[in-house]
Structure formats: structure tokens, C-alpha cells
Amino acid sequence: MASMPSKNVCIRRQQCPCGDWKCYITYEGDADEGSAAPELVKAEKASSGAMVTPYVGMVFKSDDEAFEYYGNFARKNGFSIRKERSRISPQLGIYKRDFVCYRSGFAPMKKKPNGEHHRDRKSVRCGCDAKMYLSKEVVEGVSQWFVVQFSNVHNHELLEDDQVRLLPAYRKIHEADQERILLLSKAGFPIHRIVKMLELEKGIQGGQLPFLERDVRNFVQNRKKVVQENEALLNEKRENDVLELLEACKAMKEADDDFAYDFTVDANDKVENVAWSFGGSVNANAMFGDVVYFDTSYRSVTYGLLFGVWFGIDSYGRTIFFSCVLLQDETPQSFSWALQTFVQFMRGRCPQTILTDLDPGLRDAIRSELPGTKHVIPQWNIQCKVPCWFSPPLGSRYAEFKSEFDALFHIENTEEFELQWSQMISVFGLGSDKHTDLLYSVRASWAQVYVRGYFLARMETLAYSKSIDAFLKGIFATHTCLRSFFEQVGISASFQHQAHLETQHVHLKTCIPIEEHARSILTHFAFNALQQELLLAMQYAASEMANGSYIVRHFKRMNGEQLVIWLAEDDQIHCSCKEFESSGILCRHALRVLVIKNYFQLPDKYFLGRWRRECSLLVDDDNSNQGVGGEWFQEYQSLAETLFSESSITKERSDYARRELTKELTRILNEVRNLPEADGVCMNMSVSPTS
């Protein structure tokens, strides 16, 4: 009986949001995560460049490295290899390895028990003498493998590249293809139709897959046996692991009263969905919960669970963990429960804006549960799907289409967007395409002309996307049971919340007083953004109109002008680009006008609380339940952050703070150690993973 998988393997969701179960998404970089066969990838890379023919005396660090090298050489030269013999000694272990051509030797004649010969079946073996023999030696305490014999003389014809790829050694069904094959097989597709479907989806000609139809047939037959044997055991394992996860949540709740978790059960009293959040995340949400990103890009293959996680961004531009959830399915009902639970964890606070993946079910849930929240699908979430959707059907015209599609993100008004969209669909013949229909149905959540002015706190950027991806890959780097997974989430969340702020001097780049004033108020992250806008403002010309407003244009570009309205009596300024409404940082157009109007400092209203230096993750309206120890700990953290911020303005300040702080802390520590170790008062010094 085949063994049951014991690891929780998580991969990116591949089911396409268009709703067609036959359609799936492939992502750039999946090969790096194990979806492609390493042997094939390495061989292809090796074949693209010149390789040195193995020779007697050639040295390798290990026998595996030698086998890989010889295998790449063989593929490039039209044959494959196999491991023949090895020899072992008590002192060195395996000390000799023989690698030979796949046609080396002769197949033995097999007989039936009654003495009759088996049916004659032609063997590929023909006594070929091509080989590479290795011997291990220990040189200065380091094991090395030397080539002691090598022959590249074959007694058979070598294959062309389009033939050698079909040798058994190179025929691999990649993990992503395995999942697709099983899905189509489960839907009742015959083997030959599965092969044809894979060819169409990959946009390749018939017979160009890296495996044969019989490989698919053998894979399906073998996997069906494994699935039947393991299904009952896997269900039992899932139930046990989920119960262990709940036990871990219960134990965390007992240790940290601010920790929150919830779950649902089905009609058979089996757990369906589980969600949890740490106490420090609630405190962080109180200050930075105006914008959240709900990522649902990963699911567990082992348990069939969807993994969702809520993130935010703090005043220093760092990613913050808020909460996470495991869902049994991807229905609007499950998403609704996840959203309700998140709001409950965050003490009833709903975000101004929520960013999510492209998912119609999730969109419907947000409309129902968060009617007052703006829903945005980031540009990078759309762009990663475009090649998979449109490159195969458009072929050579895809580059032209991509250019037209990218231009949609820079359109200024809805009428022009609707016109350009219609023309693009008509020109490329995509009127009946399901993916363009899907994109158009959710255009109000991704097209810039519709979402411009929604507050996003710079979370829509590609840099923020990469930080999210790094967090998730850190969680899924080790495939573990659900309880260990829960612990890994806590460790990753704690690491992000406790990341140290670097003391760094921020240099001024202009002589404009606005810049120097802003440096003393904003965090490094926010100030760098404002500083960049201020530098670019110098490239714009402002023309005053009769009504007192301004038209601001770049000195070179003729298009892209913006209307800036300045209200002197209220110290207010508004720009048609709506950058301040989106990021909380004034744009180059508004700054240009303020410089012209002789502003030496920005009005206080244009320094949002979330971007100020004094803003802290430890801000919480309800500190009374944190205990005496928690209160002074928060006070110390707040003072420390303020000190770092103030001392980073100049190098003189930084040097002084570092010198004096070391002396004072050493003095205080020595005095504390001289005090009694017990005074009869119990101090509550417990800290949650995100404190």
C-alpha cells in the first residue's frame, strides 16, 4: 500500500477566476517553486551553452554532481545515461561509480516458469561502450570524485534534439501538469483528449509535450490507486490536524487574552473554517487598518484548504500582519464568514479600502459584508494573468495587444476608457472572450480611471507585492502539519512587527524650506516619497487661470496636464491627479503651486497621522487590560522610537544619542540589578507574538 503524504504542501491557486474549470493560471517563477522538473530545466540550460567533454582527471565535488554533468552532456549529444555499478568500503563508503550509456550491455533472456521463452520484445541495449567511471579520493580532508575512465564511442546512432527529449530519462510530468491531468481525468476526459487539451493550453504543436500519451496513462492509473488507498487516511489526518490547530489556538488564548480565534463546523460537527489573530495585530490595525490587503493566492494541496491572510502597511512602509484564515472552499459564503470574522477580530473596525486578488466570489462577499469599503484589485494582480490569458490565442499579435492594454491604466476619464476598451476588443477579435468579459465586469476595481482617489497608502505598488510574496514564501518554505503551520505564521508575524528601525541620516536634496520642515515630521518612508515628488515638481510649469486655479504641465511632455485648485483662506490645495487622496503624500503638481505661493511649511493637515514619526504600532485606545508591565513596556517602546526618529535628523544628533544612551542604559541596568528580586507584587510581562 502506498504511503500517505504526511506534509502540508501549499501551492498557488491555479483555478482561473473566469469560472471555467478547464481554465487555469500559470505564474512566472513557478518553476523556481518546484512546478517544473529540475532535471529538465538544468539540462536545457546546459544545452544552451558550450560544455566541456568529460576527460580523465576531471574533478567533481560529489558523485551526484558528476552524474548531473554527464547527463547534461548526454542530452546535448543525443543519448541518455544510467547508473551501472558502485563499490563500497568501510572507510570511504561508496568510493567507485560507473555511469554508462543507456544502450550499454545486453538484455538477459527471460524464461517462463515452464521453460518457455517470453514473447520476443526488442531491447534498446546493444552493448554500447560509452561510459564514465569515477573514483573517490580524500584530499586534505575533503572528498573529491575523479574521472578515471571515459569513452564517448557509441556503436549506435545518436539522436537529434527532437528525438532525445523523448527518451525515458528526460520524459517528466511536471507538478503543475500532474494536477491538471488529474483534474481533467476526474471530469471524465479520456487520455488522448487530456493530451490534446494540454497542448492547446500551452500553445504548442501536437507531440511537443515533454512526455508521451502512455506516460499520462501510466500516471493516471498509478495515481488512482494511490488516491483510493490514501483518501480515508488523509481525511482522518486532516481532522486530527485541524483539532490540533484548535488546541494550539486555545492554548495561545489562555497565554494571551488579546489573542482571538474562531471556527465553524458543518452538519456532522466537523471543522470547516478556522481564523485567528494576535493581540498586537489588533493594536496595529487601530492605527494602520485604514487599508488592508486580503491575499488568497495559496491553497493546501494536502488538505484542500484555501489560505487567506490580511496585511497592512505601517508608517515606515513595512508590511504588517493582521490576521489569517483557513477556508474549506472559495464560495461567497466562506468569504463572507472570513470578512465578518476579521471585522470582529478588529473590534468592529472596517477598512476604508480593501485590496484583493481577482475573484468574483470574493467581490460579491465584499459587497455584502463591507458595503462602505472601497474594493481595489491591484494592477500587478491583473498583469500577472494577462500573458496566460491572451498570449496563446493572440500569438504574434500579443505584444501589440499588451501595449494597448497597458495604456488603459493611464487614461484620465471614463468615457475615453470605455471607448479605448471597445476599440481594443474589436481590433483583436475578443468580443466573445471570457477573460475580457471578466475584466470588464470588474473594471471599477482595477482601472485607474475608476479607482483614482481611493486611499491605498502605497500598498498597490510592485514593491509591496514583493514584500507580501516574501512573507508567504517564508511561511510555506517548510511543509508541515497545521499546528506547526500556525506556529510558523506566529513567528513570521512576530518578526515583521519586531523589525528594528534603522537609525539613518536623511539628506536634503533641495534648498526648499518645505523639505527641511517635512523631514522633522515624516518617517523615512513617507519623507522619501515626498522628497521625490518635490524634486520632480521643479520640472513642471504652472500657469494661473482667471479663477485662481492652476494648470500644471511637464516642461517636455505635452500631455498629462493637471488642474490644481488652491484655496488660500482655508490653506487647502486639490489636484486632479488625486495623489494625496490615494497615498497621503502631496503630489508634484500641488507642491509646485505651493512653492510658487511662497509656502515655507506644508499645512499640518497634509501630514497624515499614519505617516508621522511619532506614530507607533503600540497605540491602543484600551490599554487598561494590558497589565502594569505592558503599560511601561509600551511607554518605553514609544520613547525609544521617538528618540530614534529625532536623532536620525543629523549625524551629530545620531552620534550623541548613541553615546549617551549606552552610558545611561548601563547605569540603569546596574542599579536595577542591585534592587531586590521580589517584592510581593505580581508583574504581568506576557507579550503576544506581535507586541
Side-chain angles (χ1 to χ4, degrees), residues 403-434:
S403 177
E404 294 288 330
F405 183 80
D406 290 345
L408 294 173
F409 288 93
H410 305 290
I411 293 177
E412 296 290 333
N413 60 75
T414 55
E415 293 79 9
E416 185 182 354
F417 176 87
E418 297 292 336
L419 177 62
Q420 293 296 327
W421 179 271
S422 298
Q423 290 179 351
M424 182 185 72
I425 298 302
S426 175
V427 168
F428 294 97
L430 298 171
S432 59
D433 185 85
K434 59 191 175 186

Side-chain angles (χ1 to χ4, degrees), residues 109 117-123:
M109 184 68 69
H117 288 290
H118 274 276
R119 172 176 60 90
D120 249 354
R121 189 174 185 180
K122 188 175 180 181
S123 171

Side-chain angles (χ1 to χ4, degrees), residues 155-222:
N155 64 353
H156 57 88
E157 184 180 356
L158 298 178
L159 304 177
E160 297 295 332
D161 187 62
D162 62 336
Q163 297 173 313
V164 73
R165 68 182 181 83
L166 298 178
L167 291 175
Y170 307 125
R171 297 204 310 264
K172 306 292 183 182
I173 302 180
H174 304 164
E175 185 177 328
D177 291 332
Q178 290 180 14
E179 185 178 355
R180 190 68 178 146
I181 289 169
L182 292 176
L183 179 64
L184 294 171
S185 176
K186 190 174 181 180
F189 276 57
I191 299 300
H192 72 279
R193 290 288 296 164
I194 293 177
V195 173
K196 186 64 176 177
M197 182 72 72
L198 290 173
E199 291 171 345
L200 291 173
E201 289 173 345
K202 294 176 181 293
I204 60 178
Q205 296 180 354
Q208 293 302 307
L209 290 170
F211 45 83
L212 302 177
E213 183 175 316
R214 68 170 176 266
D215 298 323
V216 177
R217 180 174 290 103
N218 292 337
F219 168 74
V220 171
Q221 291 175 350
N222 293 335

Side-chain angles (χ1 to χ4, degrees), residues 17-18 354 356-367 374-379 381-383 385 389 405 409 417-418 421 434-451 454:
C18 70
I354 183 171
T356 74
D357 305 327
L358 173 55
D359 189 305
L362 181 54
R363 175 199 59 188
D364 295 342
I366 292 172
R367 287 177 177 175
K374 305 295 187 183
H375 180 208
V376 174
I377 302 169
Q379 180 178 345
N381 188 271
I382 299 290
Q383 294 283 23
K385 298 176 176 63
W389 282 346
F405 183 80
F409 288 93
F417 176 87
E418 297 292 336
W421 179 271
K434 59 191 175 186
H435 299 121
T436 55
D437 289 344
L438 173 63
L439 286 173
Y440 188 74
S441 70
V442 297
R443 65 192 183 284
S445 294
W446 63 265
Q448 294 302 299
V449 68
Y450 292 101
V451 304
Y454 290 2

